[in-house]
Amino acid sequence: MPRAKPTRAKYAIIADDLAARIRRGELRPDTAIPSEQVLMRQYGVAKVTARLAVSRLREQRWVVTVPHRGTYVCDPAR
């Protein structure tokens, strides 16, 4: 029986897409990334998936979250 092709998690795909947008300069340093609600609508995913994507970006140091303010693209110069 053939093995099923492994699929990537949706949160990883979203995080990679946002990281690519940051690298291309579409999302500039010190600007907010789309909110979880916006990511949910744009990608058609659940809140937990959007939250995991943002968490992955934080772990990779692409973004920083400021409580009660939002999540912002990190400035690579800092």
Side-chain angles (χ1 to χ4, degrees):
M1 180 176 208
R3 288 186 171 199
K5 183 179 178 183
T7 58
R8 292 185 56 222
K10 288 182 182 181
Y11 75 88
I13 294 168
I14 296 167
D16 289 349
D17 183 49
L18 291 171
R21 290 175 63 193
I22 293 169
R23 281 192 300 274
R24 287 192 304 263
E26 292 174 27
L27 297 172
R28 304 198 46 86
D30 298 323
T31 60
I33 66 168
S35 68
E36 288 177 359
Q37 294 293 324
V38 171
L39 293 174
M40 289 168 56
R41 283 194 304 274
Q42 284 181 344
Y43 292 94
V45 297
K47 186 173 193 164
V48 69
T49 304
R51 188 167 286 171
L52 283 170
V54 173
S55 177
R56 185 176 180 123
L57 290 172
R58 260 194 316 271
E59 290 169 3
Q60 295 174 343
R61 301 205 168 145
W62 285 109
V63 298
V64 61
T65 299
V66 179
H68 308 290
R69 293 289 197 151
T71 302
Y72 298 86
V73 176
C74 289
D75 185 349
R78 290 188 195 155

